[in-house]
Amino acid sequence: MKTLSRRVGCFTDSVIRRMTRISDQYGAINLSQGFPDFDPPQALMDALAKVAYEGPHQYSVTYGAPNLRQALAEKFQRSSGLSVDPETQVLVTCGGTEAMMSTVMAVCDPGDRVLVFSPFYENYGADAILSGAEPIYVPLVPPDYRFDPELIEQGFRQGAKAIILCNPSNPCGKVFSRQELLLIGELAERYDAWVITDEVYEHMVYAPAVHTVMAGLPGMADRTLTCNSLSKTYSITGWRLGYLIGPESAVEAAKKVHDFLTVGAPSPLQEAAVTGLHFEEQYYCELNRIYREKRDYFLAGLDRLGLKHNVPQGTYFVMVDIGDFLALPRFQNMSDLAFCEWMTREIGVAAVPGSSFFREPVNNLIRLHFAREKGTLDEVFRRLGKLSAILKESEFLQLQQQAPKA
Ligand code: GLN
């Protein structure tokens, strides 16, 4: 009997991206996989049109076009205060996804352990498994997603070689404070571990929260591998442009993985993206303002509908509590996945079940994103109205039952 890889049998496809397919199947509004429904900046589209005629159309240097690496190094220097060598410390990848995978593969051998916060962006599970590494999970505890540093230390004592840190954090919207990052950094230093960060939402941080670049903290430059992407910052998720910045030895190792995995990110898109990296600070402030406004608009809408949710400090994700629904007879014993499938079909709004992010048995949360035009969000509220009507109706029936009979 022919067999397939046991390793690949250890994880499922991405539920985030599966929900996109289900959403498309039912023509729902897709608030599951996070990507905007609006265009990238005009200057980027113009640059892409120009590249169509002027090239390049052939491979770039495997590690990324030199002008893009240079621009990434400059942007990183502005945010972290670190000066990095674009030749040896920057690697351009196919999306943040490949940056993470190449990095975890470059760091871990089969049998190694890696610390992962839970809830976590689901790719990290597959990244660890494909690298042969065993994840040790550290809970971020709802509602404010705090962690117990003692559990991180325990993980390092068990020999964890690296910690994966998503900041701002997908799916829970936590922004790690400078204090928390210093603490994590101190532990990583004490146990001589790598810190692999995923900072793709760095510009979606809502005051008073601020984004702190881990690598820029004292002593962290030599042990931090910063993974990032242009997808969210320039609204170009389909361009598949990501990058890794870190110390030379680790980036050299990741370059080898990247070389054999994908050879390189699409060169015309790299060329066009350089335009975005040269935007003034004003662009990032405006992006932040737009997303903050969307966040507040979305949360206010959920409040009006009586849907319970967290208040994300960063990212464009919100966790909505469906516990009250699952307590109703019509949803009893339903998994959050089945609820999301039902909601996509019957309500016309797609979300991601929380269980695909949590290590712990969490069944009462679903993740929605708000990277949508206001008009689309209004339509979402209209559709979710049908959902909240179910709750209101059951409350009404309950009250009727409790009311003293005349
Ligand atoms: N980060 C996005 C999300 O969590 C998806 C990214 C992707 O699908 N590559 O929805």
Side-chain angles (χ1 to χ4, degrees):
M1 174 72 176
K2 292 196 293 300
T3 61
L4 293 166
S5 156
R6 273 199 306 278
R7 209 188 295 153
V8 173
C10 289
F11 57 93
T12 68
D13 60 331
S14 148
V15 179
I16 296 176
R17 294 178 279 276
R18 193 192 307 168
M19 286 311 304
T20 285
R21 295 193 292 275
I22 296 177
S23 180
D24 289 348
Q25 185 185 338
Y26 292 108
I29 299 177
N30 185 1
L31 299 192
S32 53
Q33 188 181 18
F35 59 88
D37 64 350
F38 38 90
D39 280 339
Q42 184 68 42
L44 275 184
M45 295 194 290
D46 291 345
L48 186 59
K50 188 160 172 271
V51 169
Y53 291 98
E54 294 178 9
H57 291 292
Q58 310 309 326
Y59 303 125
S60 67
V61 174
T62 305
Y63 315 126
N67 55 347
L68 179 57
R69 277 184 284 132
Q70 176 68 39
L72 288 168
E74 284 164 13
K75 182 169 186 287
F76 188 68
Q77 171 153 21
R78 289 198 296 276
S79 65
S80 68
L82 296 172
S83 96
V84 294
D85 178 357
E87 265 315 299
T88 57
Q89 294 187 264
V90 181
L91 167 65
V92 177
T93 57
C94 293
T97 298
E98 198 222 338
M100 283 300 296
M101 181 66 86
S102 306
T103 302
V104 178
M105 281 193 151
V107 167
C108 292
D109 279 317
D112 282 344
R113 289 172 162 168
V114 16
L115 281 165
V116 179
F117 287 103
S118 166
F120 57 98
Y121 176 48
E122 55 180 17
N123 281 39
Y124 309 153
D127 293 342
I129 292 167
L130 284 171
S131 313
E134 181 203 332
I136 300 177
Y137 295 95
V138 175
L140 289 173
V141 186
D144 50 6
Y145 296 99
R146 274 174 216 268
F147 62 90
D148 178 355
E150 178 53 34
L151 295 179
I152 298 186
E153 179 144 23
Q154 257 175 42
F156 280 135
R157 269 199 233 106
Q158 289 169 49
K161 192 174 188 178
I163 180 165
I164 297 180
L165 181 84
C166 184
N167 183 37
S169 201
N170 180 3
C172 65
K174 176 185 174 70
V175 173
F176 285 79
S177 70
R178 189 182 162 87
Q179 254 53 41
E180 287 176 317
L181 294 177
L182 284 169
L183 199 92
I184 294 167
E186 214 174 276
L187 288 168
E189 210 160 4
R190 192 174 320 151
Y191 291 90
D192 198 17
W194 293 101
V195 179
I196 300 171
T197 69
D198 174 348
E199 304 184 32
V200 308
Y201 300 98
E202 65 176 329
H203 295 291
M204 289 156 205
V205 171
Y206 312 114
V210 284
H211 181 64
T212 306
V213 179
M214 185 64 161
L217 291 177
M220 293 310 292
D222 286 344
R223 62 178 67 255
T224 305
L225 294 161
T226 308
C227 295
N228 210 324
S229 147
L230 308 192
S231 296
K232 275 72 185 184
T233 304
Y234 304 103
S235 308
I236 48 170
T237 61
W239 291 24
R240 311 309 303 126
L241 294 176
Y243 57 99
L244 161 68
I245 295 184
E248 183 177 341
S249 61
V251 173
E252 285 300 322
K255 276 179 174 177
K256 287 197 279 182
V257 180
H258 160 81
D259 199 359
F260 287 105
L261 216 50
T262 62
V263 177
S267 62
L269 299 168
Q270 292 188 55
E271 178 62 33
V274 174
T275 301
L277 283 150
H278 289 146
F279 286 161
E280 300 288 329
E281 203 48 38
Q282 165 73 18
Y283 169 77
Y284 305 100
C285 294
E286 182 59 11
L287 183 79
N288 187 277
R289 189 193 63 74
I290 290 169
Y291 274 110
R292 188 193 179 101
E293 217 177 274
K294 284 193 191 302
R295 180 195 71 160
D296 294 346
Y297 193 70
F298 193 58
L299 297 186
L302 294 179
D303 287 338
R304 276 197 305 278
L305 291 165
L307 297 172
K308 293 180 194 157
H309 59 83
N310 71 327
V311 177
Q313 299 169 291
T315 74
Y316 45 47
F317 301 113
V318 179
M319 302 300 275
V320 172
D321 193 330
I322 54 163
D324 290 344
F325 291 93
L326 297 185
L328 299 177
R330 70 185 282 182
F331 295 115
Q332 236 155 42
N333 299 325
M334 208 183 224
S335 69
D336 57 353
L337 175 61
F339 184 87
C340 284
E341 284 170 352
W342 170 85
M343 194 170 106
T344 309
R345 210 174 47 239
E346 302 295 332
I347 304 291
V349 177
V352 185
S355 58
S356 53
F357 304 108
F358 280 89
R359 174 65 175 171
E360 302 76 30
V362 170
N363 195 48
N364 65 312
L365 298 174
I366 60 173
R367 191 197 77 175
L368 292 108
H369 79 83
F370 52 81
R372 289 287 175 267
E373 298 278 19
K374 256 192 179 154
T376 315
L377 294 180
D378 288 336
E379 177 57 22
V380 167
F381 299 146
R382 201 187 62 74
R383 294 182 185 194
L384 290 181
K386 285 185 270 171
L387 191 66
S388 67
I390 293 175
L391 261 193
K392 288 197 188 112
E393 192 185 291
S394 74
E395 276 163 15
F396 176 72
L397 286 177
Q398 252 174 16
L399 281 176
Q400 253 191 348
Q401 276 165 8
Q402 285 162 8
K405 301 260 168 346

